[in-house]
Structures are given as C-alpha cells and as structure tokens.
C-alpha cells in the first residue's frame, strides 16, 4: 500500500452501522412518508418483498450513510438519501451503488470513477461500507 493515501486508487471510504429497531420505529411511526423521502421506488419494492423488511431497509439506510461519507459530504451540497441507492444485480444479487447526477458530479470532483458497496445484516444491526476508487 502506498505511503501516501492520495497516491492509492482508493479515493474515499465510508462505513455505517444501523440499529434495525430504529428503522423499524421510523417505518411504524412515519410509514410511507419516511420510506418515500429516504428510499427510491426500486429500494422500497425490493425491501418490501421480505417478511423482515426493516432489516433490509436498515442495510440500505446504512449504505446511503456510507456512500455519503465516502463522498466526504454527508447529506449536504445536493447529496440526498434518494440520490444514493442500492440495487441488486438481477443475475448475481450483488449490491450495486446507484448515484444521481449530484453524487456522480461529486465523485468526478474527487477523481473517482467507481463506487463499490457491500451490505451485511443480522437481526438487530445492519452495516454497509462504500469505497470510491479511480
């Protein structure tokens, strides 16, 4: 690994851990308002097909947070939760980061060409990591 992080192919890294119970409470309290402000239609459809939907929503929420951290912006400067999403490859089921124009522009500013994302979850917690690379 290079001594200088800037010389590496990795441009940014973000990680997040989410309490599934917190997301479950948000869904119970705010329902569609929370879901539609936070997730894309594709994410709502994907997560909604599972009997343990809050776990899947929590994993995607963690991914959004991780992606915003990797972009070094958080949810500011045009970066929104709906602008950062995760879709699963139809053949492999591997998660893929899907970015709106503002997020792609920020990626370009950082010199990144790709964002990779990985999700994991247990009954009580969901975690995601996002890596920006050249």
């Amino acid at each position: 690994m290079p001594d200088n992080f800037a010389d590496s192919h990795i441009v940014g890294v973000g990680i997040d851990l989410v309490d599934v119970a917190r997301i479950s409470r948000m869904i119970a309290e705010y329902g569609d308002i929370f879901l539609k402000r936070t997730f894309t239609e594709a994410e709502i459809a994907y997560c909604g097909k599972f009997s343990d939907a809050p776990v899947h929503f929590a994993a995607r929420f963690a991914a959004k947070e991780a992606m915003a951290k990797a972009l070094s912006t958080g949810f500011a400067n045009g970066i929104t939760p709906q602008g950062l999403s995760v879709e699963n490859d139809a053949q492999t089921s591997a998660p893929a980061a899907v970015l709106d124009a503002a997020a792609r522009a920020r990626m370009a500013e950082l010199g990144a060409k790709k964002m990779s994302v990985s999700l994991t979850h247990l009954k009580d917690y969901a975690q995601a990591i996002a890596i920006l690379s050249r």
Side-chain angles (χ1 to χ4, degrees):
M1 180 139 185
D3 290 334
N4 184 345
F5 186 73
D7 292 336
S8 74
H9 292 282
I10 294 175
V11 176
V13 176
I15 189 168
D16 198 64
L17 178 69
V18 172
D19 181 357
V20 173
R22 177 175 161 241
I23 298 301
S24 189
R25 281 191 305 273
M26 295 293 286
I27 293 168
E29 187 170 342
Y30 300 105
D32 281 347
I33 293 170
F34 168 69
L35 294 176
K36 289 179 180 180
R37 284 188 181 168
T38 309
F39 301 98
T40 64
E41 288 183 27
E43 288 175 311
I44 293 169
Y46 177 82
C47 296
K49 69 183 181 182
F50 294 98
S51 61
D52 58 348
V55 171
H56 296 275
F57 281 116
R60 275 158 175 70
F61 191 87
K64 293 169 183 292
E65 291 279 356
M67 288 189 271
K69 291 173 184 177
L71 292 168
S72 300
T73 59
F75 294 119
N77 302 317
I79 305 301
T80 66
Q82 278 202 332
L84 305 171
S85 65
V86 175
E87 293 183 11
N88 291 73
D89 183 271
Q91 294 178 341
T92 66
S93 293
V98 179
L99 310 176
D100 71 2
R104 287 192 308 272
R106 176 61 181 156
M107 244 177 69
E109 286 174 20
L110 296 170
K113 299 208 183 313
K114 181 179 180 181
M115 182 178 287
S116 301
V117 65
S118 182
L119 294 74
T120 190
H121 52 77
L122 297 170
K123 182 180 78 159
D124 296 325
Y125 297 99
Q127 185 173 29
I129 186 167
I131 300 172
L132 283 178
S133 57
R134 293 177 195 208

